[in-house]
Amino acid sequence: MMEQPLLSVRHLSIGLSRQGTQLPVLNDVSFDVAPGEVLGVVGESGAGKSVAGAAIIDLLVPPLRRTAGEIALRGDRLDLMSPRQMHRVRGKRVGFIFQDPMTSLNPVLSIGKQLKDTMRTHLRLGSSELHGRALDWVTRVGLPNPERILKAAPHELSGGQRQRIVIALALCAEPEIVIADEPTTALDVSVQAQMLDLMRLLHKETGTAMVLITHDLGVVAKMADRVAVFYAGRLIEIASTRALFQSPRHPYTAGLIGATPAPDGQGGMQVVAIPGAMPGVDALPPGCAFHPRCPRAQADCRTVVPPLVVLGTGEAACLHPLPERTAA
Amino acid sequence: MKLEGVDVKAVSKTFGGKAGAFERLLGRTPRGLRAVRDVSFSISRGEVLGLVGESGCGKSTLARVIGGLLEPTGGDIAFRGVKPRLQMVFQDPFSSLNGRWRVDDIIAEPIRTHRLRPKGEVAGRVAELLEQVGLSPADGVKYPQAFSGGQRQRISIARALAGEPDFLILDEPTSALDVSVQAQILNLLRDLQSRLGLTSLFITHNLSVVRLMADRVGVMYLGELVELASADDIFTNPKHPYTRLLIDAAPDLDPIDRTLHPIPGELPDPSRPPSGCSFRTRCPYAQPLCAETPPPLRWEAAREVRCHFDLTPKSLSVPA
Amino acid sequence: MIVARSLFSTFRSAPGATLATLAIAALFAYAFLVPLFTADPFQLAGMSIMDSFTPPLWMDGGNPAFPLGADDQGRNIITAMAYGLRTSIVVGVSAVLIGLVLGGALGLLAGFVGGRTDAVIMRIADVQLAYPALLLAMVIDGIATAVVGRERSATLAIAIVIFAIGIAFWVQFARTIRSSVLVERDQDYVAAAQITGRSKLAIVMWHILPNVMAPVLVIATINLGIAIITEATLSFLGIGIPLTHPSLGALIRNGNAFLQSGEWWISAWPCLVLVVLVIAVNVLGDHLRDHFNPKLRGRS
Ligand SMILES: Nc1ncnc2c1ncn2[C@@H]1O[C@H](COP(=O)(O)OP(=O)(O)OP(=O)(O)O)[C@@H](O)[C@H]1O
Ligand SMILES: Nc1ncnc2c1ncn2[C@@H]1O[C@H](COP(=O)(O)OP(=O)(O)OP(=O)(O)O)[C@@H](O)[C@H]1O
Ligand code: SF4
Ligand SMILES: [Mg+2]
Ligand SMILES: [Mg+2]
């Protein structure tokens, strides 16, 4: 008896048109986000995480295009909405934190103006209240001297400060769900912890759900309720955070966890890279896209595309999944 | 002749401290934002110096001053031996690539500028670099817009390597990368370091990365260098309270204990640093003395620490 | 090229812009193809006094040889308009190019060098902005004519008009380019080129310039409309281009004299062509502006 998901993505596919042909960038991806839930999205660089996030709120620019799929927010079909309706959903109901901070920021307007404009359009506040709220948000994201920050232009801020403004811009309209694309990569560990704390707090206060796209497994471990792993345009594993870290079932997920340099390793640290590189969208191998790099690959992996199947408490797309590891 | 080392001598950088016509009329000088304050250190040939510190503490500004992109307001940078060939990997993978250039032209630019290869070999070299950073040579004909954030950062790294630098400045080179690609790139950089004896400055907020890559690590707080020691010493035996807190703040991979350990308090406004020690407003060990006199940078064995006391700060996350 | 390709893909969703582009293409073809096959009606050989004031085909006295009628000198309106349109386009495009080159160079200089150079250039721009383009063009044309003398050749006269109109445009180009340069200058790709050791000039030419071209293209398009109108106004006032090489403006002025007596077609047709051309150019300009402004694309 699942409650109705807040966000439901079904069979989402995205194509890249090049010289008349369609290359699949994202292939038949389905997932749900429950109200108040944090879904972590991780995966190899270029796996399609950002593109999936952008597709949810219809921000793909040519040559990328959604070729199939249904997207529903509390039952409202976003994929059927007119650009006009979509415009009202964006920012107000779905907040977005872009990987490139300058996508959200206008280089020539002051930070204060941008924050106030966003709140004015979505919250209908008076101008006296706007200033107070803008100051409040800058303080909440932990920036010193908020008055200076409000007057500053984006290029006068450090990478991390800019990123925090982008977080404030996405949160200040109090959306139902936030799609956060690498919200903390530009941040140092301490500020990162502070931002994650802030997002958790808002999360509790307002029940905002979140799709947290990141490649930082540490962030996912601390923040996410469930984790979706992407590889070469496919969802290859999805499970509760605990299950995923304790017992990854897909060999790629296991490799990803193994590639993290552990912070408390003694002396000479080593990192174990997964050998080889992820294939580009124009050179996908047949069968399981991971097979050329997979230590468990067998003959059938080269021909059969593994479907996502239920394994234990989660789901994984692998023909020869790792055995379940119980808590040691 | 080779580059023998890089000396950073008492470098300061203040933004916006200059009086405009109006202020001069009133006889006022506006208070500038002191992003970097009196930082000195040396990097010897073949060494990797790591630089860590909170967001906004002045790491990128220092990197830009060292790279000659910004004029310091005080102090200077001296290169021992020859004037080195420089390259830099920038923090933001989106603004650091020219969107109107094809990727192969972007990577070939340093090769062509310094005539590092005969014309006929440039394309081959570019393909080789693309492969080294885990992209396909066929990607060369695309424009940067066709790549994800992590892929763009790798293009930027390939461009820096293409310049065959004597001195390489890396500003958060791997923070846009997932761990598996990050591991690949770090291994590549380490390999080049050991083979070519590359001198570099490695800025990152990822402490495990800096531990893996750096020979020595400098810790910055509010524009100042507060501790500088060998990578091992910094991590196993930090002396400055800030270094300790920074190490504790890094999230580990444990999904069950979800406590985060941000450094308590807020970063002070860099245009109005606190009196005395700049860290005193957040320091768990602060004494009245700390508010009165700024602590000097003390030498202790092979380490420099900017703290009045000789502390062995306790970890907060590991119960004592 | 990438710009062009993605631009065409946006045309599909903007029928107005598609229509405008087609109209512009058709008018250009008309202006440049017709004179290839006809005698210049503004030379004696092209006129036939016998046919003067022939009304359009569907009116009483219409003649199939003059579908849109003929003017006071018996010139075929269709042919005469092609010549007029050609002059208008040549003058408009050249004037915009002059403004673009001058303004572009000064804007790049102001934005990239900054400091005193910037201040001086922008102050001059401010002063010039205080005077309307038309007035400026009239003054420059007057001065140039006085210097060169009344007996100037037709080509020289056209060159003077082009220059007079073009000079009025540099300010807008310079300002736009300067502000784009100020944004681009802080981008890290410029810093990367600096670190690599490229010269200032190389950075401006190869890195910054291609990135500021988009807004320039937009302004050029919009200014093309303004230039054509300005020239038409000058010609209508009888200043500028000699009657041996009339533009649309001169044709309208010529026809204006006969409006009272009912020969409306002599001025109405050139008027219509002028209006269609200017509107089409403006619609295209607006479309380009929306296309290149990422803030307007998709999001608030
Ligand atoms: N405009 C575009 N044109 C062509 N290909 C594109 C375009 N945008 C993205 N791609 C391709 O789509 C794939 C997915 O990109 P996406 O940005 O979603 O990756 P990602 O998972 O977010 O990676 P990262 O962690 O590096 O940001 C990449 O392989 C990229 O090459
Ligand atoms: N061009 C500028 N004009 C004015 N202030 C600036 C400028 N660039 C940086 N600053 C200020 O200088 C301080 C240091 O910035 P810097 O970019 O060096 O930080 P950082 O240590 O690299 O931080 P991060 O880890 O977030 O990138 C910040 O307070 C920032 O606001
Ligand atoms: S000098 Fe004082 S305030 Fe500063 S770090 Fe040491 S103990 Fe803390
Ligand atoms: Mg991404
Ligand atoms: Mg920085």
Side-chain angles (χ1 to χ4, degrees), chain A residues 44-45 144-145 148 160 164 185 187-188 190 215 222 224 263 269, chain B residues 33 55 154 175-178 205 212 252 254 257-258 267 269:
Chain A
E44 191 104 343
S45 159
N145 196 351
R148 170 180 90 88
R164 280 183 272 177
T185 29
L187 305 177
D188 64 278
S190 170
H215 52 251
K222 298 295 169 215
M269 286 176 77
Chain B
L33 186 146
S55 168
R154 287 183 269 166
S175 57
L177 303 179
D178 65 279
H205 56 249
L212 181 73
D252 54 24
D254 183 354
D257 173 14
R258 291 191 156 202
L267 190 71
D269 176 11

PDB file of all heavy atoms in Angstrom, chain A residues 44-45 144-145 148 160 164 185 187-188 190 215 222 224 263 269, chain B residues 33 55 154 175-178 205 212 252 254 257-258 267 269:
ATOM      1  N   GLU A  44      28.569   7.472 -12.723  1.00  0.00           N
ATOM      2  CA  GLU A  44      29.756   7.921 -13.431  1.00  0.00           C
ATOM      3  C   GLU A  44      29.508   9.282 -14.083  1.00  0.00           C
ATOM      4  O   GLU A  44      28.398   9.575 -14.512  1.00  0.00           O
ATOM      5  CB  GLU A  44      30.083   6.881 -14.515  1.00  0.00           C
ATOM      6  CG  GLU A  44      31.422   7.058 -15.167  1.00  0.00           C
ATOM      7  CD  GLU A  44      32.447   6.050 -14.661  1.00  0.00           C
ATOM      8  OE1 GLU A  44      32.207   5.450 -13.587  1.00  0.00           O
ATOM      9  OE2 GLU A  44      33.477   5.873 -15.327  1.00  0.00           O
ATOM     10  N   SER A  45      30.545  10.086 -14.153  1.00  0.00           N
ATOM     11  CA  SER A  45      30.461  11.360 -14.836  1.00  0.00           C
ATOM     12  C   SER A  45      30.038  11.143 -16.295  1.00  0.00           C
ATOM     13  O   SER A  45      30.649  10.360 -17.002  1.00  0.00           O
ATOM     14  CB  SER A  45      31.836  12.028 -14.748  1.00  0.00           C
ATOM     15  OG  SER A  45      31.981  12.986 -15.729  1.00  0.00           O
ATOM     16  N   PRO A 144      28.994  35.390   5.508  1.00  0.00           N
ATOM     17  CA  PRO A 144      29.261  36.525   6.386  1.00  0.00           C
ATOM     18  C   PRO A 144      28.851  37.823   5.713  1.00  0.00           C
ATOM     19  O   PRO A 144      28.821  37.905   4.489  1.00  0.00           O
ATOM     20  CB  PRO A 144      30.784  36.471   6.564  1.00  0.00           C
ATOM     21  CG  PRO A 144      31.279  35.798   5.333  1.00  0.00           C
ATOM     22  CD  PRO A 144      30.202  34.838   4.908  1.00  0.00           C
ATOM     23  N   ASN A 145      28.552  38.826   6.541  1.00  0.00           N
ATOM     24  CA  ASN A 145      28.200  40.161   6.053  1.00  0.00           C
ATOM     25  C   ASN A 145      27.152  40.136   4.935  1.00  0.00           C
ATOM     26  O   ASN A 145      27.421  40.507   3.795  1.00  0.00           O
ATOM     27  CB  ASN A 145      29.463  40.878   5.565  1.00  0.00           C
ATOM     28  CG  ASN A 145      29.230  42.369   5.421  1.00  0.00           C
ATOM     29  OD1 ASN A 145      28.088  42.834   5.525  1.00  0.00           O
ATOM     30  ND2 ASN A 145      30.283  43.119   5.182  1.00  0.00           N
ATOM     31  N   ARG A 148      26.805  43.067   2.411  1.00  0.00           N
ATOM     32  CA  ARG A 148      27.764  43.135   1.305  1.00  0.00           C
ATOM     33  C   ARG A 148      27.391  42.147   0.211  1.00  0.00           C
ATOM     34  O   ARG A 148      27.405  42.465  -0.972  1.00  0.00           O
ATOM     35  CB  ARG A 148      29.183  42.822   1.793  1.00  0.00           C
ATOM     36  CG  ARG A 148      30.165  42.640   0.629  1.00  0.00           C
ATOM     37  CD  ARG A 148      31.585  42.337   1.062  1.00  0.00           C
ATOM     38  NE  ARG A 148      31.894  40.928   1.222  1.00  0.00           N
ATOM     39  CZ  ARG A 148      32.327  40.124   0.242  1.00  0.00           C
ATOM     40  NH1 ARG A 148      32.460  40.577  -0.986  1.00  0.00           N
ATOM     41  NH2 ARG A 148      32.589  38.868   0.484  1.00  0.00           N
ATOM     42  N   GLY A 160      32.350  28.740  -3.738  1.00  0.00           N
ATOM     43  CA  GLY A 160      31.444  28.191  -2.734  1.00  0.00           C
ATOM     44  C   GLY A 160      30.353  29.171  -2.333  1.00  0.00           C
ATOM     45  O   GLY A 160      29.214  28.778  -2.078  1.00  0.00           O
ATOM     46  N   ARG A 164      26.239  28.702  -2.699  1.00  0.00           N
ATOM     47  CA  ARG A 164      25.282  28.838  -1.606  1.00  0.00           C
ATOM     48  C   ARG A 164      24.155  29.784  -1.972  1.00  0.00           C
ATOM     49  O   ARG A 164      23.017  29.601  -1.568  1.00  0.00           O
ATOM     50  CB  ARG A 164      26.009  29.305  -0.343  1.00  0.00           C
ATOM     51  CG  ARG A 164      26.696  28.122   0.327  1.00  0.00           C
ATOM     52  CD  ARG A 164      27.343  28.542   1.601  1.00  0.00           C
ATOM     53  NE  ARG A 164      28.710  29.009   1.362  1.00  0.00           N
ATOM     54  CZ  ARG A 164      29.497  29.501   2.315  1.00  0.00           C
ATOM     55  NH1 ARG A 164      29.033  29.619   3.542  1.00  0.00           N
ATOM     56  NH2 ARG A 164      30.721  29.857   2.038  1.00  0.00           N
ATOM     57  N   THR A 185      29.210  20.359  -4.478  1.00  0.00           N
ATOM     58  CA  THR A 185      30.558  20.026  -4.957  1.00  0.00           C
ATOM     59  C   THR A 185      31.511  21.194  -4.845  1.00  0.00           C
ATOM     60  O   THR A 185      32.699  20.991  -4.703  1.00  0.00           O
ATOM     61  CB  THR A 185      30.561  19.591  -6.428  1.00  0.00           C
ATOM     62  OG1 THR A 185      29.503  20.239  -7.056  1.00  0.00           O
ATOM     63  CG2 THR A 185      30.412  18.113  -6.538  1.00  0.00           C
ATOM     64  N   LEU A 187      31.715  23.151  -2.482  1.00  0.00           N
ATOM     65  CA  LEU A 187      31.841  23.555  -1.087  1.00  0.00           C
ATOM     66  C   LEU A 187      32.850  22.713  -0.334  1.00  0.00           C
ATOM     67  O   LEU A 187      33.015  21.530  -0.586  1.00  0.00           O
ATOM     68  CB  LEU A 187      30.478  23.433  -0.403  1.00  0.00           C
ATOM     69  CG  LEU A 187      29.354  24.200  -1.076  1.00  0.00           C
ATOM     70  CD1 LEU A 187      28.048  23.944  -0.374  1.00  0.00           C
ATOM     71  CD2 LEU A 187      29.666  25.673  -1.086  1.00  0.00           C
ATOM     72  N   ASP A 188      33.480  23.343   0.639  1.00  0.00           N
ATOM     73  CA  ASP A 188      34.397  22.594   1.475  1.00  0.00           C
ATOM     74  C   ASP A 188      33.592  21.748   2.454  1.00  0.00           C
ATOM     75  O   ASP A 188      32.395  21.950   2.647  1.00  0.00           O
ATOM     76  CB  ASP A 188      35.302  23.552   2.233  1.00  0.00           C
ATOM     77  CG  ASP A 188      34.502  24.394   3.183  1.00  0.00           C
ATOM     78  OD1 ASP A 188      33.934  25.398   2.713  1.00  0.00           O
ATOM     79  OD2 ASP A 188      34.400  24.048   4.356  1.00  0.00           O
ATOM     80  N   SER A 190      33.245  21.588   5.612  1.00  0.00           N
ATOM     81  CA  SER A 190      32.514  22.178   6.722  1.00  0.00           C
ATOM     82  C   SER A 190      31.241  22.868   6.235  1.00  0.00           C
ATOM     83  O   SER A 190      30.154  22.654   6.763  1.00  0.00           O
ATOM     84  CB  SER A 190      33.387  23.179   7.467  1.00  0.00           C
ATOM     85  OG  SER A 190      32.599  23.883   8.376  1.00  0.00           O
ATOM     86  N   HIS A 215      28.065  13.131  -7.012  1.00  0.00           N
ATOM     87  CA  HIS A 215      28.923  11.970  -7.149  1.00  0.00           C
ATOM     88  C   HIS A 215      29.653  11.736  -5.845  1.00  0.00           C
ATOM     89  O   HIS A 215      30.535  10.915  -5.762  1.00  0.00           O
ATOM     90  CB  HIS A 215      29.901  12.170  -8.304  1.00  0.00           C
ATOM     91  CG  HIS A 215      30.624  13.446  -8.182  1.00  0.00           C
ATOM     92  ND1 HIS A 215      30.403  14.510  -9.012  1.00  0.00           N
ATOM     93  CD2 HIS A 215      31.514  13.865  -7.283  1.00  0.00           C
ATOM     94  CE1 HIS A 215      31.141  15.517  -8.635  1.00  0.00           C
ATOM     95  NE2 HIS A 215      31.823  15.163  -7.581  1.00  0.00           N
ATOM     96  N   LYS A 222      25.050  10.458   4.029  1.00  0.00           N
ATOM     97  CA  LYS A 222      24.518  11.236   5.142  1.00  0.00           C
ATOM     98  C   LYS A 222      23.121  11.772   4.875  1.00  0.00           C
ATOM     99  O   LYS A 222      22.375  12.069   5.798  1.00  0.00           O
ATOM    100  CB  LYS A 222      25.435  12.436   5.431  1.00  0.00           C
ATOM    101  CG  LYS A 222      26.833  12.087   5.842  1.00  0.00           C
ATOM    102  CD  LYS A 222      26.864  11.358   7.168  1.00  0.00           C
ATOM    103  CE  LYS A 222      28.233  10.791   7.419  1.00  0.00           C
ATOM    104  NZ  LYS A 222      28.243   9.512   8.113  1.00  0.00           N
ATOM    105  N   ALA A 224      20.692  10.862   1.980  1.00  0.00           N
ATOM    106  CA  ALA A 224      19.641  10.244   1.174  1.00  0.00           C
ATOM    107  C   ALA A 224      18.911   9.138   1.930  1.00  0.00           C
ATOM    108  O   ALA A 224      19.491   8.455   2.765  1.00  0.00           O
ATOM    109  CB  ALA A 224      20.243   9.684  -0.109  1.00  0.00           C
ATOM    110  N   PRO A 263      38.817   8.306   4.254  1.00  0.00           N
ATOM    111  CA  PRO A 263      39.494   9.387   4.951  1.00  0.00           C
ATOM    112  C   PRO A 263      40.346   8.927   6.134  1.00  0.00           C
ATOM    113  O   PRO A 263      41.277   9.612   6.522  1.00  0.00           O
ATOM    114  CB  PRO A 263      38.363  10.302   5.419  1.00  0.00           C
ATOM    115  CG  PRO A 263      37.121   9.501   5.318  1.00  0.00           C
ATOM    116  CD  PRO A 263      37.349   8.431   4.303  1.00  0.00           C
ATOM    117  N   MET A 269      47.940   6.228   1.221  1.00  0.00           N
ATOM    118  CA  MET A 269      46.589   5.981   0.742  1.00  0.00           C
ATOM    119  C   MET A 269      46.610   5.548  -0.718  1.00  0.00           C
ATOM    120  O   MET A 269      47.467   5.935  -1.490  1.00  0.00           O
ATOM    121  CB  MET A 269      45.762   7.246   0.879  1.00  0.00           C
ATOM    122  CG  MET A 269      45.384   7.516   2.310  1.00  0.00           C
ATOM    123  SD  MET A 269      44.517   9.034   2.439  1.00  0.00           S
ATOM    124  CE  MET A 269      42.916   8.577   1.835  1.00  0.00           C
TER     125      MET A 269
ATOM    126  N   LEU B  33      38.288  44.369   1.051  1.00  0.00           N
ATOM    127  CA  LEU B  33      38.081  42.996   1.477  1.00  0.00           C
ATOM    128  C   LEU B  33      39.416  42.276   1.368  1.00  0.00           C
ATOM    129  O   LEU B  33      39.931  42.088   0.268  1.00  0.00           O
ATOM    130  CB  LEU B  33      37.029  42.363   0.573  1.00  0.00           C
ATOM    131  CG  LEU B  33      36.587  40.963   0.976  1.00  0.00           C
ATOM    132  CD1 LEU B  33      35.136  40.790   0.635  1.00  0.00           C
ATOM    133  CD2 LEU B  33      37.408  39.908   0.290  1.00  0.00           C
ATOM    134  N   SER B  55      35.346  27.428   2.411  1.00  0.00           N
ATOM    135  CA  SER B  55      34.921  28.202   1.248  1.00  0.00           C
ATOM    136  C   SER B  55      35.043  29.695   1.532  1.00  0.00           C
ATOM    137  O   SER B  55      34.604  30.159   2.580  1.00  0.00           O
ATOM    138  CB  SER B  55      33.469  27.839   0.959  1.00  0.00           C
ATOM    139  OG  SER B  55      32.933  28.728   0.043  1.00  0.00           O
ATOM    140  N   ARG B 154      37.501  17.277 -17.127  1.00  0.00           N
ATOM    141  CA  ARG B 154      38.579  16.453 -17.667  1.00  0.00           C
ATOM    142  C   ARG B 154      39.193  17.087 -18.909  1.00  0.00           C
ATOM    143  O   ARG B 154      40.395  16.979 -19.153  1.00  0.00           O
ATOM    144  CB  ARG B 154      38.063  15.049 -17.966  1.00  0.00           C
ATOM    145  CG  ARG B 154      37.841  14.265 -16.681  1.00  0.00           C
ATOM    146  CD  ARG B 154      37.412  12.873 -16.960  1.00  0.00           C
ATOM    147  NE  ARG B 154      35.966  12.754 -17.011  1.00  0.00           N
ATOM    148  CZ  ARG B 154      35.339  11.688 -17.507  1.00  0.00           C
ATOM    149  NH1 ARG B 154      36.027  10.695 -18.031  1.00  0.00           N
ATOM    150  NH2 ARG B 154      34.030  11.632 -17.484  1.00  0.00           N
ATOM    151  N   SER B 175      36.823  18.044  -7.987  1.00  0.00           N
ATOM    152  CA  SER B 175      35.580  18.062  -7.212  1.00  0.00           C
ATOM    153  C   SER B 175      34.358  17.869  -8.099  1.00  0.00           C
ATOM    154  O   SER B 175      33.285  17.556  -7.619  1.00  0.00           O
ATOM    155  CB  SER B 175      35.470  19.325  -6.373  1.00  0.00           C
ATOM    156  OG  SER B 175      35.550  20.445  -7.184  1.00  0.00           O
ATOM    157  N   ALA B 176      34.494  18.031  -9.418  1.00  0.00           N
ATOM    158  CA  ALA B 176      33.339  17.791 -10.285  1.00  0.00           C
ATOM    159  C   ALA B 176      33.282  16.341 -10.759  1.00  0.00           C
ATOM    160  O   ALA B 176      32.430  15.975 -11.551  1.00  0.00           O
ATOM    161  CB  ALA B 176      33.379  18.720 -11.490  1.00  0.00           C
ATOM    162  N   LEU B 177      34.206  15.521 -10.285  1.00  0.00           N
ATOM    163  CA  LEU B 177      34.289  14.161 -10.827  1.00  0.00           C
ATOM    164  C   LEU B 177      33.729  13.132  -9.848  1.00  0.00           C
ATOM    165  O   LEU B 177      33.868  13.259  -8.643  1.00  0.00           O
ATOM    166  CB  LEU B 177      35.755  13.810 -11.111  1.00  0.00           C
ATOM    167  CG  LEU B 177      36.483  14.767 -12.051  1.00  0.00           C
ATOM    168  CD1 LEU B 177      37.910  14.328 -12.223  1.00  0.00           C
ATOM    169  CD2 LEU B 177      35.771  14.806 -13.385  1.00  0.00           C
ATOM    170  N   ASP B 178      33.145  12.087 -10.392  1.00  0.00           N
ATOM    171  CA  ASP B 178      32.707  11.005  -9.526  1.00  0.00           C
ATOM    172  C   ASP B 178      33.939  10.243  -9.062  1.00  0.00           C
ATOM    173  O   ASP B 178      35.015  10.335  -9.651  1.00  0.00           O
ATOM    174  CB  ASP B 178      31.764  10.073 -10.275  1.00  0.00           C
ATOM    175  CG  ASP B 178      32.468   9.380 -11.398  1.00  0.00           C
ATOM    176  OD1 ASP B 178      32.618  10.005 -12.463  1.00  0.00           O
ATOM    177  OD2 ASP B 178      32.907   8.240 -11.203  1.00  0.00           O
ATOM    178  N   HIS B 205      38.988  20.948  -1.392  1.00  0.00           N
ATOM    179  CA  HIS B 205      38.382  20.888  -0.065  1.00  0.00           C
ATOM    180  C   HIS B 205      38.175  19.437   0.341  1.00  0.00           C
ATOM    181  O   HIS B 205      37.614  19.160   1.377  1.00  0.00           O
ATOM    182  CB  HIS B 205      37.075  21.660  -0.026  1.00  0.00           C
ATOM    183  CG  HIS B 205      36.092  21.202  -1.048  1.00  0.00           C
ATOM    184  ND1 HIS B 205      35.717  21.968  -2.128  1.00  0.00           N
ATOM    185  CD2 HIS B 205      35.433  20.051  -1.174  1.00  0.00           C
ATOM    186  CE1 HIS B 205      34.875  21.299  -2.859  1.00  0.00           C
ATOM    187  NE2 HIS B 205      34.673  20.132  -2.318  1.00  0.00           N
ATOM    188  N   LEU B 212      46.128  12.184  -0.247  1.00  0.00           N
ATOM    189  CA  LEU B 212      46.655  11.262  -1.241  1.00  0.00           C
ATOM    190  C   LEU B 212      47.700  11.932  -2.134  1.00  0.00           C
ATOM    191  O   LEU B 212      48.683  11.325  -2.526  1.00  0.00           O
ATOM    192  CB  LEU B 212      45.481  10.783  -2.098  1.00  0.00           C
ATOM    193  CG  LEU B 212      45.739   9.786  -3.200  1.00  0.00           C
ATOM    194  CD1 LEU B 212      46.022   8.427  -2.596  1.00  0.00           C
ATOM    195  CD2 LEU B 212      44.540   9.708  -4.122  1.00  0.00           C
ATOM    196  N   ASP B 252      31.981  10.756   6.243  1.00  0.00           N
ATOM    197  CA  ASP B 252      32.497   9.443   5.838  1.00  0.00           C
ATOM    198  C   ASP B 252      31.385   8.666   5.134  1.00  0.00           C
ATOM    199  O   ASP B 252      30.329   9.204   4.833  1.00  0.00           O
ATOM    200  CB  ASP B 252      33.032   8.684   7.053  1.00  0.00           C
ATOM    201  CG  ASP B 252      31.978   8.609   8.149  1.00  0.00           C
ATOM    202  OD1 ASP B 252      30.775   8.706   7.808  1.00  0.00           O
ATOM    203  OD2 ASP B 252      32.343   8.473   9.328  1.00  0.00           O
ATOM    204  N   ASP B 254      29.574   6.224   6.200  1.00  0.00           N
ATOM    205  CA  ASP B 254      28.717   5.464   7.092  1.00  0.00           C
ATOM    206  C   ASP B 254      27.272   5.971   7.017  1.00  0.00           C
ATOM    207  O   ASP B 254      26.986   7.080   7.448  1.00  0.00           O
ATOM    208  CB  ASP B 254      29.259   5.620   8.521  1.00  0.00           C
ATOM    209  CG  ASP B 254      28.459   4.786   9.505  1.00  0.00           C
ATOM    210  OD1 ASP B 254      27.446   4.207   9.088  1.00  0.00           O
ATOM    211  OD2 ASP B 254      28.876   4.719  10.683  1.00  0.00           O
ATOM    212  N   ASP B 257      25.418   6.142  11.098  1.00  0.00           N
ATOM    213  CA  ASP B 257      25.665   7.313  11.935  1.00  0.00           C
ATOM    214  C   ASP B 257      25.670   8.527  11.021  1.00  0.00           C
ATOM    215  O   ASP B 257      26.635   8.786  10.326  1.00  0.00           O
ATOM    216  CB  ASP B 257      27.009   7.169  12.646  1.00  0.00           C
ATOM    217  CG  ASP B 257      27.363   8.449  13.392  1.00  0.00           C
ATOM    218  OD1 ASP B 257      26.458   9.299  13.559  1.00  0.00           O
ATOM    219  OD2 ASP B 257      28.528   8.604  13.795  1.00  0.00           O
ATOM    220  N   ARG B 258      24.553   9.266  11.047  1.00  0.00           N
ATOM    221  CA  ARG B 258      24.433  10.333  10.067  1.00  0.00           C
ATOM    222  C   ARG B 258      24.781  11.699  10.627  1.00  0.00           C
ATOM    223  O   ARG B 258      24.414  12.717  10.058  1.00  0.00           O
ATOM    224  CB  ARG B 258      23.023  10.363   9.528  1.00  0.00           C
ATOM    225  CG  ARG B 258      22.722   9.157   8.688  1.00  0.00           C
ATOM    226  CD  ARG B 258      21.429   9.388   7.992  1.00  0.00           C
ATOM    227  NE  ARG B 258      21.389   8.570   6.800  1.00  0.00           N
ATOM    228  CZ  ARG B 258      20.601   8.836   5.777  1.00  0.00           C
ATOM    229  NH1 ARG B 258      19.826   9.867   5.802  1.00  0.00           N
ATOM    230  NH2 ARG B 258      20.611   8.047   4.738  1.00  0.00           N
ATOM    231  N   LEU B 267      31.751  31.856   9.508  1.00  0.00           N
ATOM    232  CA  LEU B 267      32.974  32.474   9.030  1.00  0.00           C
ATOM    233  C   LEU B 267      32.814  33.988   9.176  1.00  0.00           C
ATOM    234  O   LEU B 267      31.833  34.551   8.708  1.00  0.00           O
ATOM    235  CB  LEU B 267      33.176  32.105   7.560  1.00  0.00           C
ATOM    236  CG  LEU B 267      34.510  32.463   6.948  1.00  0.00           C
ATOM    237  CD1 LEU B 267      35.597  31.573   7.513  1.00  0.00           C
ATOM    238  CD2 LEU B 267      34.450  32.319   5.441  1.00  0.00           C
ATOM    239  N   ASP B 269      33.272  38.048   8.598  1.00  0.00           N
ATOM    240  CA  ASP B 269      33.352  38.843   7.383  1.00  0.00           C
ATOM    241  C   ASP B 269      34.810  39.177   7.085  1.00  0.00           C
ATOM    242  O   ASP B 269      35.492  39.779   7.903  1.00  0.00           O
ATOM    243  CB  ASP B 269      32.549  40.125   7.631  1.00  0.00           C
ATOM    244  CG  ASP B 269      32.650  41.079   6.473  1.00  0.00           C
ATOM    245  OD1 ASP B 269      33.157  40.662   5.407  1.00  0.00           O
ATOM    246  OD2 ASP B 269      32.217  42.224   6.628  1.00  0.00           O
TER     247      ASP B 269
END
